């Protein structure tokens, strides 16, 4: 039996969106509901997939079914496609299973030629309308199907309007439009080398091909990547009888929403552009009639639209976005879908629908996209602000929010400027842990190098600062005191703005609106989410400020404290440098003794901030070269503090240089060489825990000490022995019965493969997916951004694996590690603290493989809470 590639609207329903796409499924559903829908048929998403498998060709079987269903549509309409007596014109529109507004292509008025125009003119007694349809069709077909630039046609129509002294297309006469059609055809022949096609069936097949092809256009690919829509889904194509909104003053096209998409208010909202087709409404070239005007001038249409809006919202149980056409006073519905909305509106609509009894709490939790919560928590540029903004570049959207300020190039300058009350943005080739204070002081961070999990990105997300990373078009001057971007040179003190949600960089100052979670709908939805989720949500936090912020956003503990960031505070870096240049263990211990009370104080504040909730403290992870003095002034300071000569200090620095430091002497490899580092950190943790526990008898403080970068059981055994001996001695001396746990990060593939062995020593696992992804792919997480675009273009990858978890490879290692670890220890706690812990699709995968918690940066905690709830609800409904 042959495959069924095509369905009439009367054959489908709303549950067939995977096959018919969202638009096709909803057109079928509106037909089933008896709404006034111009009839048609849908060519399936499977036909699109087949088109690509057949080398971007529509095979004969699919073509045959398209012809067959066009005959069925002719029978329904009583008209003939391509006929010169009673012609049928159709629209050809895309429709993926996930809504992708404006991303793919549409062709209207298809099936027209000069003979058909004459028939339409004669029968309607409206030649201007007929020639306007033909003019529009030539322009859209040439642009969408033949890829002739739209601007070439727009120049011709602009010239014609100037000649006639008019400003709007509707003011052109029949003769003007006839002349434009002739000019358009000449332009087409000059560009393509052949006459414009008159055969309706040829037009149709070429248009269907073009819509299939548009699934792979650049804007659609970017949109899919941003919205987790797989390339493999393909798009359906809807072929539908035309309803003409351009027939004159009693015709028009418009859009309507059953509720306000910006605020969520339960108020019907619509716009109509009279004597226009759909693309006129979208283009913004003319000002549409607002709802108040529609109500007065078109009372019957208004009443019918309102009734349909209520019917569709009740049926779909969600806010509806509807497209419609009025043809000579008669209303036709062209589309409905669950409407796109702001995060604030999404929360209000979800809560209101529950209050109205239309949906339950689980459905409300599923209705809000977790990714959109970012916009509630961070500042942003308004659409109005961006209208006149000059974009000068684009990087990776590494940490959401909006930033505007004077350019500074060093962390010290940022710190000093902020202390004077100035707003600055830190622009760097790349950042390092040493820049932490400057990053805190800046409104935002912009780097020329680095990816989504680079140091700048990770730290910025943690502190809620805006960050655009990896803008390779930034070219720094040799002296590092200026850079060029977008054809302009920028120096210290010049003002720029950038958007960490889009990666866009703008010249000059743009107004930033503050982000805030201030309405009760947010708190209500988060409470519902917490009822349904089974995974805990912790935070990655290195400072009391981050910990408190995360706690206020619902974090249930700290899943990762990176202790190395604490080493750069104040004068601590001096002590670390003294340790690095020390010649003996005694000298190293002497230097570390200076840090011990300070690190203990840090841990006390974290335990206090978490109020008895779990705190996982990762021991020193980065290679020592990150801490070495970098300037002559710093070297002199080390010499003064240690009595070493400058030559001796430089020799130590040179000796720490590694070809591949991210796979070098770091993590658990450091205490194997220098046990005293682990001794100092263990003392700091245990002493802090004892002190806070003694101060809060009702809290249960159980510090979780995490050994990073373990890949061999004996590494874990060696470092754990140091930790346990030190901790037990501290507890004995204090007379304390405090409990503690020693676990490891699973961030090396070998650790995942031998997790059953490592679980004999590790009391918990936590996946460090930033490094695990890096080592599994063999991609540098700081450099991958330079070539990933070519991977997307070649369809080698669909997403950045550092932003969205690679479930096929990295995920398989994680699943294996969970199963092997729990084979040894059935009660083994397992979590994730890589950046994927705040990505919704990655959170869903973590739920599926049975993790106990996810941990993410403070501002992503609500996102993770909602995503974890959605994963649990989805699983319960399977």
């Amino acid at each position: 039996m042959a495959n069924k590639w095509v369905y009439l609207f009367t054959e489908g329903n709303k549950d067939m969106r995977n096959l018919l796409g969202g638009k096709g499924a909803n057109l079928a559903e509106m037909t089933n509901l008896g709404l006034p829908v111009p009839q048609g048929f849908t060519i399936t998403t499977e036909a699109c997939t087949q088109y690509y498998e057949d080398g971007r060709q529509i095979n004969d079987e699919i073509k045959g079914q398209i012809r067959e269903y066009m005959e069925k549509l002719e029978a329904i309409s009583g008209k003939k496609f391509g006929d010169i007596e009673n012609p049928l014109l159709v629209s050809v529109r895309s429709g993926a299973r996930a809504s992708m507004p404006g991303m793919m292509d549409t062709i209207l008025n298809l099936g027209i030629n000069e003979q058909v125009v004459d028939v339409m003119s004669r029968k309607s007694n409206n030649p201007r309308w007929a020639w306007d349809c033909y003019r529009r069709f030539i322009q859209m077909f040439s642009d969408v199907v033949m890829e002739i630039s739209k601007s070439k046609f727009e120049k011709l129509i602009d010239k014609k309007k100037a000649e006639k002294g008019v400003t709007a297309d509707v003011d052109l006469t029949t003769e003007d439009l006839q002349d434009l059609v002739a000019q358009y055809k000449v332009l087409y022949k000059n560009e393509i080398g052949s006459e414009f096609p008159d055969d309706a069936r040829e037009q149709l097949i070429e248009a269907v091909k073009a819509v299939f092809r548009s699934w792979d256009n650049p804007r659609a690919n970017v949109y899919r990547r941003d919205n987790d829509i797989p390339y493999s889904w393909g798009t359906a194509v809807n072929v539908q009888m035309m309803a003409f909104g351009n027939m004159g003053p009693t015709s028009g096209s418009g859009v309507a929403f059953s509720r306000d998409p910006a605020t969520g208010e339960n108020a019907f909202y619509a716009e109509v552009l009279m004597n226009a087709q759909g693309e006129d409404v979208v283009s913004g070239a003319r000002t549409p009639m607002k709802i108040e005007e529609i109500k007065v001038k078109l009372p019957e249409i208004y009443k019918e639209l309102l009734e349909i809006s209520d019917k569709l919202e009740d049926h779909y149980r969600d806010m509806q976005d509807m497209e419609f056409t009025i043809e000579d006073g008669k209303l036709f519905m062209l589309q409905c879908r669950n409407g796109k909305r702001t995060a604030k509106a999404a929360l209000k609509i979800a809560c209101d629908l529950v209050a109205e009894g239309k949906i339950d709490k689980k459905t409300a939790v599923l209705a809000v996209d977790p990714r959109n919560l970012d916009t509630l928590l961070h500042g942003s540029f308004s659409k109005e602000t961006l209208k006149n903004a000059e974009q000068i570049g684009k990087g990776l959207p590494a940490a959401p929010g909006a930033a505007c300020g004077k350019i500074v190039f060093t962390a010290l300058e940022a710190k000093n400027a902020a202390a004077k009350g100035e707003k600055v943005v830190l622009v760097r080739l790349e950042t390092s842990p040493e820049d932490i204070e400057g990053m805190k002081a800046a409104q935002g961070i912009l780097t020329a190098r680095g990816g989504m999990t680079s140091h700048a990105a990770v730290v910025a997300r943690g502190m809620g600062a805006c960050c655009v990373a990896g803008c390779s078009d930034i070219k720094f001057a040799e002296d590092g005191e200026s850079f060029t971007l977008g054809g302009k040179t920028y120096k210290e003190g010049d003002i720029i703005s950038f958007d960490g949600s889009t990666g866009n960089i703008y010249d000059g100052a743009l107004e930033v609106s503050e982000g805030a979670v201030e309405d009760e709908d947010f708190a209500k939805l988060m409470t519902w989410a917490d009822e349904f989720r089974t995974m805990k949500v912790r935070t990655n936090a290195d400072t009391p400020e981050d910990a408190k912020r995360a706690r206020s956003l619902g974090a249930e503990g700290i899943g990762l404290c990176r202790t190395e960031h604490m080493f750069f505070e104040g004068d601590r870096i001096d002590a670390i440098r003294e340790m690095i240049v020390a010649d003996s263990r005694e000298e190293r211990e002497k230097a570390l003794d200076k840090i011990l009370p300070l690190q203990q104080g840090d841990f006390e504040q974290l335990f206090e901030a978490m109020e008895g909730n779990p705190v996982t403290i990762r021991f020193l992870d980065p290679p020592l070269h990150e801490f070495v003095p970098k300037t002559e002034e710093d070297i002199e300071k080390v010499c003064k503090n240690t009595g070493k000569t400058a030559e001796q200090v430089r020799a130590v620095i040179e000796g720490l240089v590694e070809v591949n430091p991210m796979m070098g002497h770091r993590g658990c490899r450091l205490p194997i060489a220098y046990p005293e580092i682990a001794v100092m950190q263990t003392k700091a943790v245990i002493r802090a825990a004892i002190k806070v526990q003694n101060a809060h008898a009702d809290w249960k403080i159980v510090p979780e000490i995490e050994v990073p970068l373990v890949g061999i059981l004996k590494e874990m055994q060696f470092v754990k022995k140091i930790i346990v001996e030190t901790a037990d001695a501290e507890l004995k001396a204090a007379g304390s019965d405090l409990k503690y746990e020693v676990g490891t990060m699973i961030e090396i593939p070998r650790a995942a493969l031998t997790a059953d062995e490592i679980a004999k020593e590790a009391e918990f696992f936590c996946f460090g997916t930033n490094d695990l992804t890096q080592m599994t792919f063999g991609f540098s997480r700081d450099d991958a951004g330079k070539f990933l675009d070519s991977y997307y273009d070649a369809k080698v990858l669909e997403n950045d694996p550092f932003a969205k978890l690679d479930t096929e490879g990295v995920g398989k290692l994680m699943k294996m590690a969970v199963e092997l670890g729990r084979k040894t220890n059935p009660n083994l706690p397992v979590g994730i603290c890589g950046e994927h812990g705040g990505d919704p699709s990655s959170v869903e995968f973590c739920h599926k493989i049975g993790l106990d918690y996810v941990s993410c940066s403070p501002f992503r905690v609500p996102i993770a809470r909602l995503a974890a709830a959605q994963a649990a609800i989805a699983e319960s409904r399977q």
Side-chain angles (χ1 to χ4, degrees):
M1 182 181 168
N3 289 317
K4 184 170 171 61
W5 302 106
V6 186
Y7 290 75
L8 287 172
F9 293 168
T10 50
E11 296 179 285
N13 60 60
K14 66 179 172 59
D15 299 322
M16 295 171 68
R17 64 187 304 118
N18 288 3
L19 186 65
L20 303 180
K23 190 175 295 172
N26 289 339
L27 283 166
E29 192 72 9
M30 285 197 292
T31 297
N32 296 338
L33 291 170
L35 299 185
V37 175
Q39 285 304 288
F41 57 85
T42 301
I43 305 163
T44 66
T45 57
E46 291 176 352
C48 178
T49 305
Q50 191 65 43
Y51 161 84
Y52 282 102
E53 286 179 9
D54 292 338
R56 299 189 179 225
Q57 295 296 321
I58 300 177
N59 68 37
D60 290 342
E61 185 178 63
I62 297 171
K63 283 181 184 175
Q65 289 190 27
I66 293 172
R67 284 194 296 272
E68 177 190 341
Y69 276 76
M70 183 56 82
E71 288 172 8
K72 292 184 180 185
L73 183 57
E74 288 174 337
I76 292 167
S77 68
K79 298 180 179 182
K80 287 272 186 187
F81 188 53
D83 190 53
I84 57 170
E85 295 298 326
N86 191 17
L88 168 66
L89 267 59
V90 297
S91 64
V92 179
R93 305 168 79 197
S94 63
R97 66 168 92 167
S99 178
M100 296 173 59
M103 296 301 114
M104 291 179 291
D105 291 327
T106 294
I107 302 100
L108 303 180
N109 310 300
L110 190 141
I112 197 169
N113 56 35
E114 293 219 11
Q115 289 176 299
V116 170
V117 170
D118 289 339
V119 175
M120 290 167 62
S121 299
R122 189 175 69 251
K123 285 198 165 189
S124 66
N125 200 28
N126 189 350
R128 191 203 172 280
W129 159 69
W131 283 95
D132 187 47
C133 289
Y134 198 22
R135 184 269 305 177
R136 289 168 181 274
F137 174 64
I138 295 172
Q139 184 168 339
M140 290 187 92
F141 187 91
S142 301
D143 170 28
V144 172
V145 179
M146 306 309 293
E147 299 180 320
I148 303 170
S149 173
K150 189 191 301 182
S151 64
K152 294 182 178 180
F153 294 93
E154 287 171 348
K155 281 178 185 172
L156 292 176
I157 198 168
D158 287 345
K159 184 180 176 188
K160 174 63 71 176
K161 285 189 286 190
E163 286 172 5
K164 304 293 290 190
V166 300
T167 57
D169 299 359
V170 291
D171 296 324
L172 295 174
T173 65
T174 304
E175 292 72 26
D176 296 334
L177 294 168
Q178 287 174 319
D179 186 34
L180 273 175
V181 164
Q183 290 183 46
Y184 279 11
K185 286 189 169 184
V186 170
L187 171 58
Y188 181 94
K189 187 170 183 181
N190 289 341
E191 291 283 330
I192 302 300
S194 60
E195 300 293 341
F196 189 83
D198 282 343
D199 183 80
R201 281 163 179 77
E202 179 190 345
Q203 293 172 359
L204 177 61
I205 292 299
E206 290 305 315
V208 172
K209 271 189 201 171
V211 175
F212 282 160
R213 188 174 67 227
S214 72
W215 176 250
D216 195 26
N217 72 34
R219 66 180 185 272
N221 285 328
V222 169
Y223 186 91
R224 273 197 304 279
R225 201 155 55 241
D226 289 346
N227 291 277
D228 288 343
I229 301 171
Y231 179 77
S232 60
W233 282 3
T235 181
V237 178
N238 298 287
V239 179
Q240 186 176 21
M241 292 167 55
M242 279 296 301
F244 297 101
N246 60 330
M247 289 189 82
T250 59
S251 301
S253 294
V255 293
F257 294 90
S258 61
R259 299 183 189 230
D260 190 315
T263 66
E265 291 299 321
N266 189 2
F268 178 64
Y269 175 86
E271 291 182 341
V272 177
L273 199 54
M274 300 309 289
N275 197 15
Q277 290 194 336
E279 74 266 27
D280 300 325
V281 181
V282 176
S283 71
R286 289 163 58 197
T287 304
M289 190 188 298
K290 300 293 183 189
I291 186 73
E292 297 79 13
E293 209 177 341
I294 299 169
K295 201 171 180 178
V296 174
K297 294 185 176 178
L298 303 167
E300 292 304 314
I301 293 292
Y302 172 81
K303 183 183 175 189
E304 191 177 359
L305 267 174
L306 192 57
E307 288 172 357
I308 289 172
S309 172
D310 289 343
K311 187 171 187 175
L312 286 172
E313 180 171 289
D314 287 346
H315 184 71
Y316 283 98
R317 299 180 182 277
D318 200 354
M319 184 267 275
Q320 293 300 294
D321 169 0
M322 298 152 283
E323 293 180 16
F324 60 90
T325 287
I326 306 162
E327 182 182 300
D328 199 17
K330 180 171 170 51
L331 178 67
F332 291 97
M333 300 304 296
L334 305 183
Q335 177 174 323
C336 75
R337 60 187 171 204
N338 293 343
K340 298 288 182 185
R341 63 206 76 178
T342 63
K344 185 177 175 60
L347 292 168
K348 179 167 179 53
I349 290 168
C351 292
D352 284 355
L353 288 173
V354 171
E356 293 162 24
K358 291 183 177 178
I359 61 174
D360 59 19
K361 290 190 290 186
K362 283 186 177 179
T363 305
V365 168
L366 291 173
V368 178
D369 187 336
R371 292 168 301 186
N372 292 345
L373 295 182
D374 257 346
T375 58
L376 287 175
L377 303 168
H378 295 88
S380 60
F381 300 125
S382 70
K383 285 184 180 177
E384 291 301 312
T385 301
L386 292 175
K387 272 184 183 175
N388 301 314
E390 181 190 350
Q391 187 176 340
I392 52 173
K394 187 176 180 72
L396 296 171
C404 170
K406 294 179 180 177
I407 294 168
V408 294
F409 295 112
T410 70
L412 183 61
E413 288 163 355
K415 186 180 171 185
N416 291 343
K420 297 176 195 169
E422 295 179 4
K423 291 191 173 181
V424 296
V425 292
L426 179 61
V427 183
R428 303 275 285 157
L429 186 61
E430 58 196 351
T431 65
S432 74
E434 204 163 350
D435 295 322
I436 190 78
E437 288 185 289
M439 293 172 75
K440 280 183 185 176
Q443 301 297 304
I445 302 103
L446 171 61
T447 70
R449 286 186 192 158
M452 296 290 281
T453 56
S454 61
H455 177 266
V458 171
V459 173
R461 277 196 289 274
M463 61 177 63
C466 166
C467 177
V468 173
C471 178
S472 56
D473 290 336
I474 291 175
K475 304 299 178 194
F476 280 94
E478 282 189 24
D479 60 9
E481 293 181 5
S482 67
F483 66 87
T484 58
L485 182 64
K488 296 186 177 183
T489 299
Y490 293 89
K491 303 184 294 296
E492 184 178 323
D494 290 343
I495 296 175
I496 59 169
S497 305
F498 46 89
D499 187 336
S501 301
T502 63
N504 294 340
I505 307 161
Y506 304 96
D507 181 58
L510 299 184
E511 186 179 349
V512 178
S513 64
E514 291 300 313
V517 183
E518 52 196 25
D519 59 38
E520 61 187 40
D521 293 325
F522 175 81
K524 192 182 291 182
L525 195 89
M526 285 292 106
T527 301
W528 295 342
D530 292 342
E531 285 178 27
F532 303 125
R533 66 183 168 89
T534 54
M535 274 195 309
K536 297 285 188 184
V537 176
R538 300 191 193 182
T539 188
N540 301 339
D542 314 327
T543 67
E545 294 78 22
D546 284 350
K548 287 171 186 170
R549 186 182 295 122
R551 191 86 180 96
S552 72
L553 292 170
E556 298 161 301
I558 292 176
L560 173 64
C561 165
R562 306 173 186 88
T563 54
E564 59 269 12
H565 287 166
M566 300 169 169
F567 290 180
F568 287 98
E569 297 283 342
D571 296 331
R572 301 181 195 193
I573 189 68
D574 296 334
I576 287 292
R577 288 169 176 167
E578 289 173 34
M579 182 205 77
I580 289 171
V581 301
D583 295 322
S584 66
R585 179 167 183 157
E586 290 71 28
E587 284 186 15
R588 283 193 294 273
E589 288 175 341
K590 184 179 175 185
L592 289 166
D593 282 345
K594 296 180 183 178
I595 299 171
L596 174 55
L598 302 172
Q599 183 124 94
Q600 178 185 331
D602 294 329
F603 297 147
E604 286 172 15
Q605 290 182 73
L606 291 181
F607 289 133
E608 289 278 357
M610 280 298 118
E611 304 171 316
N613 283 288
V615 176
T616 303
I617 294 167
R618 182 182 73 183
F619 277 7
L620 188 63
D621 183 45
L624 293 180
H625 81 88
E626 289 195 9
F627 303 97
V628 298
K630 293 179 174 61
T631 65
E632 287 302 315
E633 184 182 352
D634 288 339
I635 290 172
E636 284 175 24
K637 195 172 185 183
V638 172
C639 294
K640 182 180 176 184
N641 290 343
T642 62
K644 299 276 192 286
T645 65
E647 289 71 25
Q648 287 173 316
V649 172
R650 288 195 192 95
V652 171
I653 295 170
E654 287 168 18
L656 289 173
V657 171
E658 294 179 294
V659 175
N660 192 346
M662 290 310 291
M663 297 177 77
H665 195 188
R666 53 171 286 224
C668 66
R669 300 156 197 171
L670 289 172
I672 289 174
Y674 308 113
E676 51 276 16
I677 296 176
V679 169
M680 181 277 288
Q681 292 201 289
T682 303
K683 287 179 179 178
V685 171
I686 298 300
R687 290 177 186 179
I690 292 170
K691 186 172 179 181
V692 175
Q693 181 67 83
N694 289 343
H696 301 277
D698 55 329
W699 292 357
K700 189 179 180 184
I701 309 291
V702 182
E704 299 174 1
I705 297 172
E706 187 170 71
V707 182
L709 222 70
V710 165
I712 306 166
L713 173 61
K714 287 187 177 179
E715 288 176 325
M716 185 67 199
Q717 289 171 330
F718 185 95
V719 180
K720 184 180 178 183
K721 186 170 183 286
I722 297 167
I723 294 169
V724 169
E725 287 176 354
T726 306
D728 288 353
E730 288 293 319
L731 292 170
K732 186 177 179 182
S736 172
D737 60 356
L738 182 97
K739 304 296 180 201
Y740 64 93
E741 294 178 357
V742 183
T744 187
M745 287 189 95
I746 304 291
E747 51 192 332
I748 290 180
R750 192 181 191 282
L753 295 167
T754 61
D756 50 344
E757 289 293 308
I758 292 172
K760 291 174 183 175
E761 291 290 341
E763 294 168 274
F764 63 85
F765 284 173
C766 187
F767 290 104
T769 49
N770 301 347
D771 269 344
L772 187 59
T773 299
Q774 177 169 247
M775 295 195 194
T776 302
F777 273 94
F779 289 170
S780 162
R781 70 192 203 202
D782 291 322
D783 301 315
K786 294 175 185 174
F787 61 79
L788 281 178
D789 279 345
S790 60
Y791 270 52
Y792 304 146
D793 294 343
K795 305 297 182 293
V796 173
L797 285 176
E798 287 190 46
N799 301 95
D800 179 350
F802 293 103
K804 181 183 175 185
L805 193 63
D806 162 48
T807 57
E808 292 178 2
V810 176
K812 190 177 284 187
L813 285 170
M814 292 171 66
K815 187 171 184 290
M816 182 188 300
V818 172
E819 290 169 355
L820 288 173
R822 287 183 176 156
K823 188 177 172 185
T824 298
N825 175 5
N827 298 316
L828 182 74
V830 186
I832 177 177
C833 61
E835 283 302 294
H836 301 99
D839 169 65
S841 64
S842 305
V843 171
E844 181 183 14
F845 177 78
C846 292
H847 174 89
K848 284 179 180 175
I849 64 170
L851 298 199
D852 297 289
Y853 68 87
V854 296
S855 187
C856 55
S857 54
F859 281 97
R860 296 180 97 181
V861 166
I863 296 171
R865 288 165 67 193
L866 184 54
Q870 292 179 348
I873 294 168
E875 183 182 62
S876 72
R877 292 184 171 181
Q878 287 175 355

